[in-house]
């Protein structure tokens, strides 16, 4: 049996990686399908809150602020949720989390419809964000267990990025359709219900979850992901990516309303997410010869340049084209960042590391939603698009200054400084 396992690993390591081989990984579908169902609602959450609160208050500033509180709460609690999952198991975190999230989402909806004061909406937004299930990081951690030492890890990172972006193609369209054609509260109510059902289905897949920190090997390897300097650099870069998501969500909603076509909001955001998804597919199909650190710098430079042009768009067609280009630049940065985590962080802290990055996106999104909403209320239409420009340019400057910290330490050593000389492997 041992020789069979060794042969299988050697074959995986030497054969050409690809999506077909990835999806033939034993046990993958048992967590992929429920994982997709469980993460879909997350793509609806921010936009559903913005559309509901803007409808009840008439202010994009107030709507953005409530959505921002949700995002900040998620960003603060997500790493703690990831750490608990690493130590006690994903199921132990998911089941109570989705129950709390569904209840908090219902409470936020009821308060908004009853014209409750803004502070009450903020109070309900805190548990709504704090209890968002971290399905994406949990799925990535399961891939890490299944593909340990395989070049398919980068293909898995690309696949997960594509999956995330597919949900962000469907989610905004669904949220917009529900909030504009059915009822302003329909988007958030649907998000809460889908989170509950999908999260419980995913939690039921106990056989593929990573070992917990109670096991001897995991305990020996466990170290806080935040202590790794490279992770801190990635957090800043992901904050910039979050500023793109948040700035575009508010600004596209304001732009489409200003031209009398609110239904175009979901379409334009879907084009942006489609660009992200298409480039993610391409990233997983390319045999990379360039080191991931360099790929991240090149990709992020392209993202900052394209995001800096958004505020110049004055027509839906031009905005769609620019949004497509911005989306195409996001996926390579996300995929490369998640791939670097596999090199930088011990296995016992990877769920926590992935949640730090996911939380950074949420925090950047929350800040961007708030600032963009204020700019749209106080300045000219389209001023909110300045936020993605500022966020990505500042993050790029940090990345360029600290890129040396993204080099991985040799395996077998506790990562304290995140510096080493491990060769990059050409992967697909």
């Amino acid at each position: 049996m041992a020789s069979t396992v060794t042969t299988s690993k050697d074959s995986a390591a030497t054969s050409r990686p690809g999506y077909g081989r990835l999806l033939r990984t034993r046990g993958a579908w048992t967590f992929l399908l429920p994982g997709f169902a469980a993460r879909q609602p997350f793509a609806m959450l921010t936009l559903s809150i913005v559309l509901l609160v803007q409808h009840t208050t008439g202010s994009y500033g107030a709507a953005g602020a409530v959505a921002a509180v949700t995002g900040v709460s998620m960003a603060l609690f997500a790493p703690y949720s990831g750490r608990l999952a690493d130590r006690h198991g994903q199921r132990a975190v998911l089941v109570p989390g989705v129950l709390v999230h569904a209840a908090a989402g219902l409470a936020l909806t009821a308060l908004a419809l009853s014209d409750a004061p803004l502070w009450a909406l903020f109070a309900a937004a805190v548990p709504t964000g704090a209890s968002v299930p971290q399905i994406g990081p949990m799925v990535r951690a399961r891939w890490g267990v299944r593909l340990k030492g395989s070049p398919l890890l980068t293909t898995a990172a690309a696949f997960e990025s594509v999956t995330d972006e597919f949900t962000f193609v469907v989610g905004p369209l669904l949220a917009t359709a529900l909030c504009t054609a059915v009822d302003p509260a329909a988007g958030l109510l649907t998000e809460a219900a889908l989170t509950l059902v999908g999260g419980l289905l995913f939690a039921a897949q106990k056989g593929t979850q990573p070992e917990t920190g109670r096991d001897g090997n995991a305990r020996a390897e466990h170290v806080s992901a935040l202590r790794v300097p490279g992770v801190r650099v990635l957090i800043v870069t992901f904050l910039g990516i979050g500023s793109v998501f948040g700035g575009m969500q508010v600004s596209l909603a304001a732009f489409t309303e200003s031209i009398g076509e609110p239904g175009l909001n979901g379409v334009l955001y879907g084009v942006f997410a489609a660009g992200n998804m298409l480039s993610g597919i391409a990233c997983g199909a390319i045999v990379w010869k360039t080191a991931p650190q360099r790929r991240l710098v090149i990709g992020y430079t392209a993202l900052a340049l394209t995001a800096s042009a958004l505020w110049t768009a004055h027509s839906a067609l031009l905005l769609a084209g620019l949004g497509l280009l911005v989306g195409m630049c996001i996926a390579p940065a996300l995929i490369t960042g998640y791939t670097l985590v596999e090199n930088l962080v011990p296995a016992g802290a990877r769920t926590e590391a992935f949640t730090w990055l996911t939380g950074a996106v949420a925090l950047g999104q929350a800040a961007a939603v708030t600032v963009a909403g204020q700019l749209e209320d106080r300045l000219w239409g389209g001023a909110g698009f300045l936020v993605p420009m500022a966020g990505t340019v500042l993050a790029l400057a940090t990345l360029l200054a600290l890129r040396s910290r993204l080099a991985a330490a040799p395996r077998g050593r506790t990562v304290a400084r995140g510096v080493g000389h491990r060769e990059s492997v050409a992967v697909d």
Side-chain angles (χ1 to χ4, degrees):
M1 180 64 71
S3 61
T4 302
V5 173
T6 302
T7 302
S8 175
K9 287 184 178 180
D10 290 343
S11 174
T14 57
S15 62
R16 176 185 173 88
Y19 291 116
R21 185 175 184 84
L22 178 72
L23 296 177
R24 290 194 296 272
T25 301
R26 186 177 179 181
W29 287 103
T30 63
F31 63 84
L32 284 181
L33 291 178
F36 176 78
R39 76 173 72 184
Q40 178 61 62
F42 178 62
M44 302 171 59
L45 181 60
T46 299
L47 187 56
S48 295
I49 292 174
V50 167
L51 293 176
L52 172 61
V53 177
Q54 194 279 330
H55 173 80
T56 57
T57 65
S59 168
Y60 278 106
V66 175
V69 170
T70 305
V72 170
S73 180
M74 187 197 113
L76 293 177
F77 280 87
Y80 183 64
S81 171
R83 190 176 306 165
L84 288 176
D86 282 330
R87 293 180 178 178
H88 303 289
Q90 296 180 359
R91 177 184 172 86
V93 175
L94 271 176
V95 173
V98 295
L99 294 173
V100 171
H101 183 77
L106 292 175
L108 178 56
T109 303
L111 288 168
L113 293 176
S114 63
D115 295 323
L118 196 57
W119 66 263
L121 300 183
F122 289 156
V126 171
T128 301
S131 58
V132 170
Q134 300 302 309
I135 302 298
M138 290 181 179
V139 172
R140 287 181 170 90
R142 294 186 187 215
W143 276 125
V145 171
R146 291 286 163 177
L147 301 174
K148 185 176 182 180
S150 169
L152 284 168
L153 280 170
T154 297
T155 308
F159 181 82
E160 288 306 307
S161 179
V162 171
T163 303
D164 282 339
E165 292 319 307
F166 182 72
T167 67
F168 276 95
V169 172
V170 177
L173 288 171
L174 181 58
T176 301
L178 288 170
C179 291
T180 58
V182 180
D183 187 88
L188 194 53
L189 290 174
T190 303
E191 187 275 338
L194 291 177
T195 297
L196 179 62
V197 175
L200 292 177
L201 286 174
F202 184 77
Q205 311 306 312
K206 296 184 289 184
T208 55
Q209 72 175 357
E211 292 182 347
T212 68
R214 294 177 179 177
D215 299 309
N217 292 339
R219 183 183 296 276
E221 261 188 25
H222 186 78
V223 61
S224 174
L226 199 58
R227 291 178 58 193
V228 181
V231 170
R232 298 198 291 269
V233 176
L234 290 174
I235 286 172
V236 175
T237 63
F238 276 52
L239 282 168
I241 292 173
S243 75
V244 178
F245 287 125
M248 290 196 71
Q249 283 180 338
V250 170
S251 301
L252 286 176
F255 176 82
T256 53
E257 182 175 305
S258 70
I259 63 173
E261 296 287 349
L264 280 179
N265 178 35
V267 175
L268 290 176
Y269 198 85
V271 169
F272 159 70
N276 199 343
M277 183 175 67
L278 292 174
S279 65
I281 293 172
C283 282
I286 294 173
V287 179
W288 295 104
K289 304 296 183 182
T290 308
Q293 297 93 322
R294 186 178 180 190
R295 294 205 310 268
L296 182 60
V297 170
I298 293 172
Y300 214 91
T301 300
L303 174 60
L305 289 173
T306 53
S308 296
L310 286 170
W311 69 276
T312 65
H314 298 292
S315 70
L317 185 61
L318 179 58
L319 194 53
L322 286 172
L324 181 68
L325 291 176
V326 173
M328 292 178 69
C329 293
I330 284 180
L334 284 172
I335 291 167
T336 307
Y338 283 124
T339 302
L340 283 166
V341 167
E342 298 288 347
N343 296 336
L344 293 169
V345 182
R350 282 183 192 149
T351 304
E352 180 192 348
F354 288 135
T355 53
W356 272 112
L357 299 189
T358 303
V361 173
L363 186 59
Q365 180 176 324
V369 164
T370 304
V371 176
Q374 294 295 328
L375 292 177
E376 292 292 347
D377 279 347
R378 297 167 185 255
L379 301 179
W380 69 91
F385 288 119
L386 294 172
V387 175
M389 178 181 73
T392 54
V393 168
L394 290 173
L396 176 61
T398 302
L399 175 61
L400 290 172
L402 302 176
R403 62 186 180 276
S404 63
R405 299 187 181 185
L406 296 176
R411 293 291 184 182
R413 293 174 55 190
T414 300
V415 180
R417 298 179 180 274
V419 179
H421 306 285
R422 184 175 185 268
E423 282 189 4
S424 60
V425 180
V427 292
D428 191 340

